[in-house]
Amino acid sequence: MIKIVTDSTADLSVQEIEQYGITVVPLTLTIDGESYLDRIDLSPSEFMKKMAAAKDLPKSSQPSAGAFKEVYDELSADGSDIISIHMTGKMSGTVRSAESASELTNADVTVIDSGFISRALAYQVIEAAKMAQNGVEKDEILKRVQHVKDHSHLFVVVDTLENLVKGGRIGKGRAMIGSLLNIKPIASLAGGEYTPVSKARSHNQVVKYLSGQFENDTTDKSIRAVDIVHADGLKLANMLDEKLPATVRIDETTPVISTHTGAGAIGFMYYAE
């Protein structure tokens, strides 16, 4: 038997976690000296309120290798193998913690860097979990997960540059100019890292760019999933949804992502083959 593990940045619903038997290891958030387990002690909307009131920018930290080892030991007690799929290693040490734990445990663990965050990570996790439930061999699952990764796209749009500056992602000078011009940077997660691809001056321009990308990437393909997640950015999420010729799932994103993007941000992702 094969069991699937991921982390809390996958933006999985409680229903999906239960339905597919997925184990989620949470990251930790620290707000003004207080620590919270992501999505366990703190929901996305509670976090947005706390972040707005916080003196300093909240910090996120990956689960320890010990936390992963505990999960692996427990899940493998019945002889099960484990596939552990995590957020991109270029934005967090989570996947490295999982790799360290895989060397410490007696369990047979295969750790995968998804190259993504949020629902684009969830696409790989859910596909693996469905196949595991159907008794598919590990090599087949790993091949399919790679296929899903190769056919997924993710874009991030921030509404304010403030948190990117506080988190050291961009310099103050660039942010000042960006704020004066009301620039909303659009980035992709191609290659697993935050890569600026365009700038928009308005939400309408954001929607035009993203809907255009979607059309280019999905023409003559079968669309498997389309998701928009947001950090208090429902207005922009709905605007984009209206322009997409597909069924879209809209949800709040994990605080781990919100703390870097700030309020008003959205993540737009899709999987087509």
Side-chain angles (χ1 to χ4, degrees):
M1 195 175 166
I2 296 168
K3 292 175 181 172
I4 308 300
V5 175
T6 189
D7 58 73
S8 56
T9 66
D11 282 339
L12 290 163
S13 69
V14 173
Q15 185 189 354
E16 286 169 331
I17 292 164
E18 289 171 0
Q19 184 180 349
Y20 301 117
I22 299 161
T23 301
V24 179
V25 181
L27 276 76
T28 301
L29 295 144
T30 306
I31 309 170
D32 292 342
E34 287 283 313
S35 289
Y36 304 87
L37 288 175
D38 182 25
R39 287 185 177 267
I40 293 174
D41 300 330
L42 203 57
S43 72
S45 47
E46 286 168 341
F47 172 78
M48 295 307 291
K49 290 191 194 102
K50 284 187 181 290
M51 179 167 71
K55 290 198 294 289
D56 299 308
L57 185 69
K59 289 188 167 52
S60 62
S61 52
Q62 71 252 25
S64 65
F68 276 117
K69 181 182 181 294
E70 211 173 290
V71 168
Y72 296 157
D73 289 348
E74 198 178 306
L75 293 177
S76 63
D78 61 1
S80 292
D81 289 355
I82 295 161
I83 298 176
S84 204
I85 310 173
H86 298 287
M87 72 180 292
T88 170
K90 290 182 178 171
M91 290 175 82
S92 165
T94 300
V95 76
R96 282 182 286 284
S97 278
E99 284 166 350
S100 299
S102 72
E103 289 163 16
L104 299 170
T105 181
N106 294 322
D108 183 321
V109 184
T110 304
V111 177
I112 295 174
D113 182 338
S114 73
F116 286 107
I117 50 174
S118 188
R119 296 296 298 177
L121 160 57
Y123 299 157
Q124 296 175 41
V125 173
I126 290 170
E127 193 76 15
K130 283 180 182 172
M131 293 175 82
Q133 282 184 336
N134 291 327
V136 178
E137 294 289 317
K138 182 159 70 177
D139 286 353
E140 279 301 304
I141 297 176
L142 298 179
K143 225 183 284 179
R144 182 69 187 163
V145 166
Q146 182 62 45
H147 175 85
V148 174
K149 178 180 180 176
D150 293 342
H151 292 80
S152 297
H153 300 265
L154 187 156
F155 294 93
V156 179
V157 183
V158 299
D159 205 45
T160 164
L161 301 173
E162 195 182 337
N163 285 40
L164 288 174
V165 174
K166 285 183 185 169
R169 306 272 163 179
I170 59 169
K172 279 185 182 163
R174 275 174 63 196
M176 224 165 81
I177 294 163
S179 298
L180 285 172
L181 299 175
N182 200 22
I183 283 169
K184 301 173 193 317
I186 302 171
S188 89
L189 231 68
E193 59 192 330
Y194 183 91
T195 311
V197 290
S198 187
K199 295 185 185 102
R201 293 270 176 93
S202 67
H203 282 170
N204 285 330
Q205 283 185 3
V206 169
V207 168
K208 189 177 175 189
Y209 178 86
L210 293 179
S211 56
Q213 287 295 313
F214 179 79
E215 194 179 330
N216 291 344
D217 292 331
T218 60
T219 301
D220 299 328
K221 289 183 182 170
S222 175
I223 297 165
R224 298 293 182 200
V226 187
D227 289 79
I228 304 171
V229 297
H230 67 93
D232 274 358
L234 190 55
K235 184 185 165 203
L236 177 54
N238 286 332
M239 280 175 70
L240 177 57
D241 179 23
E242 281 169 22
K243 293 289 181 199
L244 298 172
T247 303
V248 181
R249 168 196 164 125
I250 298 178
D251 212 344
E252 292 177 301
T253 192
T254 167
V256 173
I257 296 169
S258 308
T259 190
H260 295 295
T261 63
I266 64 163
F268 174 45
M269 53 222 101
Y270 45 94
Y271 157 39
E273 57 187 4

